[in-house]
mmCIF file of all heavy atoms in Angstrom:
data_model
loop_
_atom_site.group_PDB
_atom_site.id
_atom_site.type_symbol
_atom_site.label_atom_id
_atom_site.label_comp_id
_atom_site.label_asym_id
_atom_site.label_seq_id
_atom_site.Cartn_x
_atom_site.Cartn_y
_atom_site.Cartn_z
ATOM 1 N N PHE A 201 -5.914 -19.166 13.429
ATOM 2 C CA PHE A 201 -5.228 -19.023 14.603
ATOM 3 C C PHE A 201 -3.800 -19.706 14.373
ATOM 4 O O PHE A 201 -2.771 -19.179 14.785
ATOM 5 C CB PHE A 201 -5.879 -19.638 15.761
ATOM 6 C CG PHE A 201 -5.247 -19.333 17.075
ATOM 7 C CD1 PHE A 201 -5.224 -18.023 17.602
ATOM 8 C CD2 PHE A 201 -4.537 -20.334 17.757
ATOM 9 C CE1 PHE A 201 -4.593 -17.742 18.751
ATOM 10 C CE2 PHE A 201 -3.860 -20.003 18.915
ATOM 11 C CZ PHE A 201 -3.902 -18.714 19.446
ATOM 12 N N ARG A 202 -3.731 -20.931 13.792
ATOM 13 C CA ARG A 202 -2.560 -21.654 13.749
ATOM 14 C C ARG A 202 -1.556 -20.924 12.867
ATOM 15 O O ARG A 202 -0.288 -21.121 13.107
ATOM 16 C CB ARG A 202 -2.825 -23.059 13.164
ATOM 17 C CG ARG A 202 -1.991 -24.065 13.902
ATOM 18 C CD ARG A 202 -2.312 -25.563 13.520
ATOM 19 N NE ARG A 202 -3.647 -25.809 12.933
ATOM 20 C CZ ARG A 202 -3.718 -26.531 11.824
ATOM 21 N NH1 ARG A 202 -2.681 -27.073 11.261
ATOM 22 N NH2 ARG A 202 -4.873 -26.833 11.342
ATOM 23 N N PHE A 205 0.786 -16.149 13.253
ATOM 24 C CA PHE A 205 2.089 -15.523 13.376
ATOM 25 C C PHE A 205 3.036 -16.045 12.291
ATOM 26 O O PHE A 205 4.337 -15.926 12.424
ATOM 27 C CB PHE A 205 2.700 -15.816 14.721
ATOM 28 C CG PHE A 205 1.856 -15.434 15.876
ATOM 29 C CD1 PHE A 205 0.982 -16.291 16.544
ATOM 30 C CD2 PHE A 205 1.777 -14.056 16.244
ATOM 31 C CE1 PHE A 205 0.142 -15.895 17.540
ATOM 32 C CE2 PHE A 205 0.951 -13.679 17.300
ATOM 33 C CZ PHE A 205 0.185 -14.557 17.931
ATOM 34 N N THR A 206 2.558 -16.674 11.242
ATOM 35 C CA THR A 206 3.460 -17.352 10.363
ATOM 36 C C THR A 206 3.820 -16.484 9.146
ATOM 37 O O THR A 206 2.967 -15.994 8.387
ATOM 38 C CB THR A 206 2.764 -18.638 9.787
ATOM 39 O OG1 THR A 206 2.377 -19.362 10.863
ATOM 40 C CG2 THR A 206 3.705 -19.404 8.909
ATOM 41 N N PHE A 207 5.134 -16.277 9.024
ATOM 42 C CA PHE A 207 5.662 -15.507 7.796
ATOM 43 C C PHE A 207 6.920 -16.267 7.479
ATOM 44 O O PHE A 207 7.971 -16.057 7.956
ATOM 45 C CB PHE A 207 5.947 -14.078 8.202
ATOM 46 C CG PHE A 207 6.652 -13.338 7.033
ATOM 47 C CD1 PHE A 207 6.254 -13.528 5.715
ATOM 48 C CD2 PHE A 207 7.631 -12.443 7.297
ATOM 49 C CE1 PHE A 207 6.869 -12.801 4.723
ATOM 50 C CE2 PHE A 207 8.255 -11.711 6.293
ATOM 51 C CZ PHE A 207 7.846 -11.865 5.021
ATOM 52 N N ARG A 209 9.467 -16.355 5.205
ATOM 53 C CA ARG A 209 10.054 -15.475 4.204
ATOM 54 C C ARG A 209 11.122 -16.205 3.375
ATOM 55 O O ARG A 209 11.474 -15.771 2.252
ATOM 56 C CB ARG A 209 10.557 -14.214 4.703
ATOM 57 C CG ARG A 209 11.733 -14.251 5.537
ATOM 58 C CD ARG A 209 11.950 -13.112 6.503
ATOM 59 N NE ARG A 209 12.793 -13.484 7.538
ATOM 60 C CZ ARG A 209 14.112 -13.415 7.504
ATOM 61 N NH1 ARG A 209 14.690 -12.985 6.454
ATOM 62 N NH2 ARG A 209 14.847 -13.888 8.571
ATOM 63 N N MET A 220 2.294 -13.271 4.170
ATOM 64 C CA MET A 220 2.215 -11.820 4.506
ATOM 65 C C MET A 220 0.822 -11.317 4.298
ATOM 66 O O MET A 220 0.275 -10.541 5.098
ATOM 67 C CB MET A 220 3.244 -11.036 3.637
ATOM 68 C CG MET A 220 3.416 -9.585 4.171
ATOM 69 S SD MET A 220 3.793 -9.449 5.966
ATOM 70 C CE MET A 220 5.429 -8.868 5.911
ATOM 71 N N MET A 223 -1.251 -12.688 7.134
ATOM 72 C CA MET A 223 -0.974 -12.087 8.462
ATOM 73 C C MET A 223 -1.484 -10.630 8.560
ATOM 74 O O MET A 223 -2.112 -10.342 9.489
ATOM 75 C CB MET A 223 0.565 -12.144 8.676
ATOM 76 C CG MET A 223 0.989 -11.524 9.987
ATOM 77 S SD MET A 223 2.732 -11.211 10.128
ATOM 78 C CE MET A 223 3.363 -12.858 10.440
ATOM 79 N N THR A 224 -1.208 -9.826 7.472
ATOM 80 C CA THR A 224 -1.591 -8.450 7.559
ATOM 81 C C THR A 224 -3.128 -8.369 7.550
ATOM 82 O O THR A 224 -3.789 -7.485 8.141
ATOM 83 C CB THR A 224 -1.052 -7.604 6.394
ATOM 84 O OG1 THR A 224 -1.276 -8.330 5.215
ATOM 85 C CG2 THR A 224 0.405 -7.344 6.573
ATOM 86 N N VAL A 227 -4.320 -10.128 11.421
ATOM 87 C CA VAL A 227 -4.017 -9.452 12.756
ATOM 88 C C VAL A 227 -4.886 -8.101 12.843
ATOM 89 O O VAL A 227 -5.290 -7.773 13.958
ATOM 90 C CB VAL A 227 -2.514 -9.084 12.937
ATOM 91 C CG1 VAL A 227 -1.659 -10.320 13.075
ATOM 92 C CG2 VAL A 227 -2.016 -8.113 11.845
ATOM 93 N N PRO A 230 -10.181 -6.822 12.829
ATOM 94 C CA PRO A 230 -11.265 -5.905 13.342
ATOM 95 C C PRO A 230 -11.065 -4.465 12.832
ATOM 96 O O PRO A 230 -12.082 -3.856 12.548
ATOM 97 C CB PRO A 230 -10.948 -5.848 14.882
ATOM 98 C CG PRO A 230 -10.075 -7.049 15.165
ATOM 99 C CD PRO A 230 -9.340 -7.334 13.866
ATOM 100 N N PHE A 231 -9.857 -3.998 12.626
ATOM 101 C CA PHE A 231 -9.685 -2.645 12.028
ATOM 102 C C PHE A 231 -10.301 -2.623 10.633
ATOM 103 O O PHE A 231 -10.982 -1.703 10.275
ATOM 104 C CB PHE A 231 -8.191 -2.330 12.053
ATOM 105 C CG PHE A 231 -7.847 -1.036 11.311
ATOM 106 C CD1 PHE A 231 -7.854 0.143 11.933
ATOM 107 C CD2 PHE A 231 -7.469 -1.074 9.986
ATOM 108 C CE1 PHE A 231 -7.567 1.328 11.270
ATOM 109 C CE2 PHE A 231 -7.179 0.133 9.288
ATOM 110 C CZ PHE A 231 -7.281 1.300 10.000
ATOM 111 N N VAL A 332 -14.667 9.548 21.965
ATOM 112 C CA VAL A 332 -14.713 8.924 20.615
ATOM 113 C C VAL A 332 -16.000 9.381 19.895
ATOM 114 O O VAL A 332 -15.969 9.837 18.767
ATOM 115 C CB VAL A 332 -14.766 7.414 20.713
ATOM 116 C CG1 VAL A 332 -14.863 6.791 19.338
ATOM 117 C CG2 VAL A 332 -13.454 6.923 21.415
ATOM 118 N N PHE A 364 -20.742 6.666 18.255
ATOM 119 C CA PHE A 364 -19.495 6.048 18.525
ATOM 120 C C PHE A 364 -18.905 5.412 17.202
ATOM 121 O O PHE A 364 -17.687 5.612 16.905
ATOM 122 C CB PHE A 364 -19.647 4.850 19.485
ATOM 123 C CG PHE A 364 -18.458 4.051 19.817
ATOM 124 C CD1 PHE A 364 -17.499 4.498 20.551
ATOM 125 C CD2 PHE A 364 -18.259 2.736 19.189
ATOM 126 C CE1 PHE A 364 -16.348 3.775 20.801
ATOM 127 C CE2 PHE A 364 -17.133 2.057 19.428
ATOM 128 C CZ PHE A 364 -16.150 2.575 20.215
ATOM 129 N N LEU A 368 -15.423 6.817 15.768
ATOM 130 C CA LEU A 368 -14.165 6.010 15.701
ATOM 131 C C LEU A 368 -13.548 6.141 14.382
ATOM 132 O O LEU A 368 -12.299 6.044 14.214
ATOM 133 C CB LEU A 368 -14.444 4.512 16.160
ATOM 134 C CG LEU A 368 -14.970 3.486 15.159
ATOM 135 C CD1 LEU A 368 -13.816 2.900 14.332
ATOM 136 C CD2 LEU A 368 -15.687 2.473 15.920
ATOM 137 N N PHE A 373 -11.105 12.955 18.358
ATOM 138 C CA PHE A 373 -10.526 12.832 19.624
ATOM 139 C C PHE A 373 -9.099 13.216 19.634
ATOM 140 O O PHE A 373 -8.407 13.253 18.605
ATOM 141 C CB PHE A 373 -10.731 11.504 20.265
ATOM 142 C CG PHE A 373 -10.296 10.372 19.288
ATOM 143 C CD1 PHE A 373 -8.990 10.102 18.957
ATOM 144 C CD2 PHE A 373 -11.228 9.597 18.651
ATOM 145 C CE1 PHE A 373 -8.653 9.124 18.133
ATOM 146 C CE2 PHE A 373 -10.876 8.539 17.838
ATOM 147 C CZ PHE A 373 -9.569 8.381 17.558
ATOM 148 N N HIS A 375 -5.789 12.053 20.752
ATOM 149 C CA HIS A 375 -5.143 10.821 21.328
ATOM 150 C C HIS A 375 -4.061 10.425 20.316
ATOM 151 O O HIS A 375 -4.335 9.679 19.333
ATOM 152 C CB HIS A 375 -6.187 9.645 21.536
ATOM 153 C CG HIS A 375 -5.692 8.658 22.418
ATOM 154 N ND1 HIS A 375 -4.528 7.949 22.191
ATOM 155 C CD2 HIS A 375 -6.291 8.112 23.641
ATOM 156 C CE1 HIS A 375 -4.335 7.043 23.265
ATOM 157 N NE2 HIS A 375 -5.346 7.107 24.080
ATOM 158 N N PHE A 377 -1.383 8.618 20.368
ATOM 159 C CA PHE A 377 -1.016 7.246 20.358
ATOM 160 C C PHE A 377 -2.027 6.448 19.443
ATOM 161 O O PHE A 377 -1.567 5.705 18.514
ATOM 162 C CB PHE A 377 -0.923 6.643 21.773
ATOM 163 C CG PHE A 377 -0.407 5.267 21.829
ATOM 164 C CD1 PHE A 377 0.776 4.944 21.247
ATOM 165 C CD2 PHE A 377 -1.115 4.269 22.487
ATOM 166 C CE1 PHE A 377 1.328 3.727 21.377
ATOM 167 C CE2 PHE A 377 -0.664 3.018 22.567
ATOM 168 C CZ PHE A 377 0.657 2.715 22.047
ATOM 169 N N LEU A 381 -1.595 4.273 15.957
ATOM 170 C CA LEU A 381 -2.110 2.949 15.773
ATOM 171 C C LEU A 381 -3.010 2.806 14.575
ATOM 172 O O LEU A 381 -2.953 1.774 13.869
ATOM 173 C CB LEU A 381 -2.806 2.433 17.083
ATOM 174 C CG LEU A 381 -1.944 2.231 18.324
ATOM 175 C CD1 LEU A 381 -2.769 1.879 19.569
ATOM 176 C CD2 LEU A 381 -0.825 1.175 18.033
ATOM 177 N N TYR A 382 -3.749 3.815 14.368
ATOM 178 C CA TYR A 382 -4.645 3.789 13.165
ATOM 179 C C TYR A 382 -3.858 3.799 11.899
ATOM 180 O O TYR A 382 -4.211 3.176 10.927
ATOM 181 C CB TYR A 382 -5.633 5.045 13.169
ATOM 182 C CG TYR A 382 -6.908 4.875 13.921
ATOM 183 C CD1 TYR A 382 -7.170 3.714 14.645
ATOM 184 C CD2 TYR A 382 -7.862 5.870 13.837
ATOM 185 C CE1 TYR A 382 -8.326 3.633 15.355
ATOM 186 C CE2 TYR A 382 -9.052 5.775 14.547
ATOM 187 C CZ TYR A 382 -9.269 4.579 15.313
ATOM 188 O OH TYR A 382 -10.458 4.486 15.947
ATOM 189 N N LEU A 388 -1.188 -1.717 7.363
ATOM 190 C CA LEU A 388 -1.304 -3.160 7.323
ATOM 191 C C LEU A 388 -2.301 -3.492 6.240
ATOM 192 O O LEU A 388 -2.124 -4.459 5.458
ATOM 193 C CB LEU A 388 -1.772 -3.692 8.717
ATOM 194 C CG LEU A 388 -0.682 -3.728 9.760
ATOM 195 C CD1 LEU A 388 -1.396 -4.194 11.125
ATOM 196 C CD2 LEU A 388 0.397 -4.770 9.394
ATOM 197 N N LEU B 7 -0.178 3.370 28.997
ATOM 198 C CA LEU B 7 -0.272 2.916 27.552
ATOM 199 C C LEU B 7 0.954 2.063 27.215
ATOM 200 O O LEU B 7 0.709 1.018 26.541
ATOM 201 C CB LEU B 7 -0.399 4.091 26.551
ATOM 202 C CG LEU B 7 -1.722 4.847 26.680
ATOM 203 C CD1 LEU B 7 -1.709 6.085 25.816
ATOM 204 C CD2 LEU B 7 -2.868 3.902 26.232
ATOM 205 N N MET B 18 0.767 -11.840 22.982
ATOM 206 C CA MET B 18 1.004 -12.400 21.564
ATOM 207 C C MET B 18 2.176 -13.348 21.550
ATOM 208 O O MET B 18 2.075 -14.391 20.753
ATOM 209 C CB MET B 18 1.091 -11.264 20.623
ATOM 210 C CG MET B 18 -0.211 -10.493 20.373
ATOM 211 S SD MET B 18 -1.515 -11.440 19.835
ATOM 212 C CE MET B 18 -2.912 -10.446 20.249
ATOM 213 N N ALA B 22 1.869 -17.215 20.411
ATOM 214 C CA ALA B 22 2.675 -17.758 19.290
ATOM 215 C C ALA B 22 3.392 -19.071 19.852
ATOM 216 O O ALA B 22 3.402 -20.056 19.154
ATOM 217 C CB ALA B 22 3.683 -16.758 18.820
ATOM 218 N N LEU B 25 1.963 -22.607 19.981
ATOM 219 C CA LEU B 25 1.811 -23.355 18.786
ATOM 220 C C LEU B 25 3.152 -24.062 18.510
ATOM 221 O O LEU B 25 4.208 -23.495 18.613
ATOM 222 C CB LEU B 25 1.560 -22.351 17.583
ATOM 223 C CG LEU B 25 0.247 -21.608 17.640
ATOM 224 C CD1 LEU B 25 0.268 -20.396 16.769
ATOM 225 C CD2 LEU B 25 -0.973 -22.386 17.542
ATOM 226 N N HIS B 28 5.976 -22.647 16.166
ATOM 227 C CA HIS B 28 6.779 -21.532 16.659
ATOM 228 C C HIS B 28 7.606 -21.883 17.873
ATOM 229 O O HIS B 28 8.740 -21.404 18.010
ATOM 230 C CB HIS B 28 5.774 -20.392 16.973
ATOM 231 C CG HIS B 28 5.083 -19.809 15.759
ATOM 232 N ND1 HIS B 28 5.760 -19.570 14.548
ATOM 233 C CD2 HIS B 28 3.850 -19.640 15.532
ATOM 234 C CE1 HIS B 28 4.856 -19.146 13.684
ATOM 235 N NE2 HIS B 28 3.624 -19.231 14.174
ATOM 236 N N ASP B 61 -7.523 5.726 29.605
ATOM 237 C CA ASP B 61 -8.569 6.486 28.848
ATOM 238 C C ASP B 61 -9.961 6.045 29.329
ATOM 239 O O ASP B 61 -10.143 5.032 29.954
ATOM 240 C CB ASP B 61 -8.355 6.107 27.342
ATOM 241 C CG ASP B 61 -7.211 6.729 26.745
ATOM 242 O OD1 ASP B 61 -7.017 7.927 26.734
ATOM 243 O OD2 ASP B 61 -6.344 5.889 26.173
ATOM 244 N N SER B 64 -14.707 3.991 26.046
ATOM 245 C CA SER B 64 -14.947 3.941 24.691
ATOM 246 C C SER B 64 -13.598 4.064 23.910
ATOM 247 O O SER B 64 -13.374 3.416 22.803
ATOM 248 C CB SER B 64 -15.976 4.952 24.203
ATOM 249 O OG SER B 64 -15.402 6.283 24.464
ATOM 250 N N MET B 65 -12.678 4.947 24.367
ATOM 251 C CA MET B 65 -11.397 5.081 23.732
ATOM 252 C C MET B 65 -10.537 3.900 23.985
ATOM 253 O O MET B 65 -9.832 3.442 23.162
ATOM 254 C CB MET B 65 -10.788 6.381 24.267
ATOM 255 C CG MET B 65 -9.737 6.944 23.419
ATOM 256 S SD MET B 65 -10.312 8.306 22.386
ATOM 257 C CE MET B 65 -10.440 9.572 23.553
ATOM 258 N N LEU B 68 -10.827 0.929 21.644
ATOM 259 C CA LEU B 68 -10.086 1.068 20.404
ATOM 260 C C LEU B 68 -8.597 0.926 20.533
ATOM 261 O O LEU B 68 -7.954 0.304 19.676
ATOM 262 C CB LEU B 68 -10.419 2.527 19.831
ATOM 263 C CG LEU B 68 -11.914 2.828 19.584
ATOM 264 C CD1 LEU B 68 -12.044 4.262 19.043
ATOM 265 C CD2 LEU B 68 -12.476 1.863 18.577
ATOM 266 N N ILE B 71 -7.767 -2.895 20.899
ATOM 267 C CA ILE B 71 -7.925 -3.600 19.714
ATOM 268 C C ILE B 71 -6.782 -3.362 18.765
ATOM 269 O O ILE B 71 -6.142 -4.208 18.132
ATOM 270 C CB ILE B 71 -9.312 -3.339 18.972
ATOM 271 C CG1 ILE B 71 -10.473 -4.016 19.837
ATOM 272 C CG2 ILE B 71 -9.275 -3.908 17.550
ATOM 273 C CD1 ILE B 71 -11.830 -3.606 19.361
ATOM 274 N N MET B 72 -6.446 -2.069 18.613
ATOM 275 C CA MET B 72 -5.391 -1.671 17.752
ATOM 276 C C MET B 72 -4.048 -2.154 18.276
ATOM 277 O O MET B 72 -3.114 -2.529 17.501
ATOM 278 C CB MET B 72 -5.318 -0.157 17.517
ATOM 279 C CG MET B 72 -6.599 0.412 16.812
ATOM 280 S SD MET B 72 -6.980 -0.406 15.259
ATOM 281 C CE MET B 72 -5.516 -0.142 14.338
ATOM 282 N N LEU B 73 -3.882 -2.140 19.601
ATOM 283 C CA LEU B 73 -2.591 -2.736 20.138
ATOM 284 C C LEU B 73 -2.524 -4.223 19.896
ATOM 285 O O LEU B 73 -1.408 -4.672 19.619
ATOM 286 C CB LEU B 73 -2.609 -2.520 21.691
ATOM 287 C CG LEU B 73 -2.164 -1.224 22.239
ATOM 288 C CD1 LEU B 73 -2.225 -1.221 23.728
ATOM 289 C CD2 LEU B 73 -0.777 -0.844 21.762
ATOM 290 N N ALA B 75 -3.527 -5.796 17.265
ATOM 291 C CA ALA B 75 -3.156 -5.929 15.801
ATOM 292 C C ALA B 75 -1.635 -5.659 15.680
ATOM 293 O O ALA B 75 -0.893 -6.406 15.110
ATOM 294 C CB ALA B 75 -3.946 -5.036 14.963
ATOM 295 N N THR B 76 -1.215 -4.526 16.282
ATOM 296 C CA THR B 76 0.203 -4.128 16.207
ATOM 297 C C THR B 76 1.100 -5.170 16.763
ATOM 298 O O THR B 76 2.126 -5.567 16.249
ATOM 299 C CB THR B 76 0.440 -2.768 16.875
ATOM 300 O OG1 THR B 76 -0.596 -1.857 16.345
ATOM 301 C CG2 THR B 76 1.723 -2.174 16.556
ATOM 302 N N ALA B 78 0.506 -8.354 17.519
ATOM 303 C CA ALA B 78 0.556 -9.626 16.729
ATOM 304 C C ALA B 78 1.411 -9.580 15.536
ATOM 305 O O ALA B 78 2.222 -10.482 15.251
ATOM 306 C CB ALA B 78 -0.862 -10.002 16.346
ATOM 307 N N PHE B 79 1.406 -8.412 14.768
ATOM 308 C CA PHE B 79 2.222 -8.190 13.687
ATOM 309 C C PHE B 79 3.713 -8.249 14.044
ATOM 310 O O PHE B 79 4.583 -8.888 13.432
ATOM 311 C CB PHE B 79 1.819 -6.926 12.943
ATOM 312 C CG PHE B 79 2.587 -6.704 11.665
ATOM 313 C CD1 PHE B 79 2.324 -7.451 10.574
ATOM 314 C CD2 PHE B 79 3.619 -5.785 11.593
ATOM 315 C CE1 PHE B 79 3.092 -7.273 9.366
ATOM 316 C CE2 PHE B 79 4.360 -5.583 10.377
ATOM 317 C CZ PHE B 79 4.068 -6.319 9.375
ATOM 318 N N VAL B 81 5.134 -9.544 16.721
ATOM 319 C CA VAL B 81 5.549 -10.959 17.161
ATOM 320 C C VAL B 81 5.757 -11.851 15.907
ATOM 321 O O VAL B 81 6.758 -12.552 15.778
ATOM 322 C CB VAL B 81 4.541 -11.534 18.117
ATOM 323 C CG1 VAL B 81 4.838 -13.077 18.322
ATOM 324 C CG2 VAL B 81 4.687 -10.870 19.428
ATOM 325 N N GLY B 82 4.890 -11.599 14.970
ATOM 326 C CA GLY B 82 5.051 -12.428 13.687
ATOM 327 C C GLY B 82 6.336 -12.153 12.981
ATOM 328 O O GLY B 82 7.026 -13.027 12.548
ATOM 329 N N GLN B 83 6.757 -10.857 12.925
ATOM 330 C CA GLN B 83 7.958 -10.425 12.253
ATOM 331 C C GLN B 83 9.188 -10.935 13.078
ATOM 332 O O GLN B 83 10.151 -11.370 12.538
ATOM 333 C CB GLN B 83 8.037 -8.906 12.087
ATOM 334 C CG GLN B 83 6.937 -8.387 11.182
ATOM 335 C CD GLN B 83 6.892 -9.026 9.824
ATOM 336 O OE1 GLN B 83 7.928 -9.034 9.110
ATOM 337 N NE2 GLN B 83 5.823 -9.656 9.434
ATOM 338 N N LEU B 85 9.309 -13.574 14.931
ATOM 339 C CA LEU B 85 9.462 -14.982 14.702
ATOM 340 C C LEU B 85 10.112 -15.269 13.298
ATOM 341 O O LEU B 85 10.811 -16.214 13.156
ATOM 342 C CB LEU B 85 8.116 -15.630 14.767
ATOM 343 C CG LEU B 85 7.583 -15.951 16.124
ATOM 344 C CD1 LEU B 85 6.134 -16.360 16.069
ATOM 345 C CD2 LEU B 85 8.406 -17.189 16.662
ATOM 346 N N SER B 86 9.950 -14.338 12.446
ATOM 347 C CA SER B 86 10.515 -14.553 11.118
ATOM 348 C C SER B 86 12.056 -14.109 10.985
ATOM 349 O O SER B 86 12.820 -14.781 10.470
ATOM 350 C CB SER B 86 9.798 -13.830 10.100
ATOM 351 O OG SER B 86 10.240 -14.158 8.769
ATOM 352 N N TYR B 87 12.339 -13.001 11.732
ATOM 353 C CA TYR B 87 13.695 -12.462 11.617
ATOM 354 C C TYR B 87 14.620 -12.779 12.822
ATOM 355 O O TYR B 87 15.738 -13.057 12.639
ATOM 356 C CB TYR B 87 13.583 -10.928 11.403
ATOM 357 C CG TYR B 87 13.027 -10.490 10.060
ATOM 358 C CD1 TYR B 87 11.714 -10.402 9.858
ATOM 359 C CD2 TYR B 87 13.993 -10.330 8.998
ATOM 360 C CE1 TYR B 87 11.267 -10.029 8.550
ATOM 361 C CE2 TYR B 87 13.508 -9.932 7.753
ATOM 362 C CZ TYR B 87 12.179 -9.790 7.497
ATOM 363 O OH TYR B 87 11.725 -9.435 6.307
#
Side-chain angles (χ1 to χ4, degrees):
Chain A
F201 188 72
R202 218 170 345 131
F205 304 100
T206 306
F207 174 43
R209 71 200 157 87
M220 191 51 112
M223 184 192 278
T224 49
V227 295
F231 173 86
V332 178
F364 176 75
L368 82 85
F373 47 74
H375 200 305
F377 186 54
L381 291 176
Y382 274 6
L388 286 173
Chain B
L7 290 173
M18 290 299 161
L25 301 162
H28 296 310
D61 292 302
S64 62
M65 199 98 77
L68 299 178
I71 290 172
M72 294 311 297
L73 276 181
T76 310
F79 184 74
V81 168
Q83 297 305 304
L85 278 168
S86 184
Y87 289 89

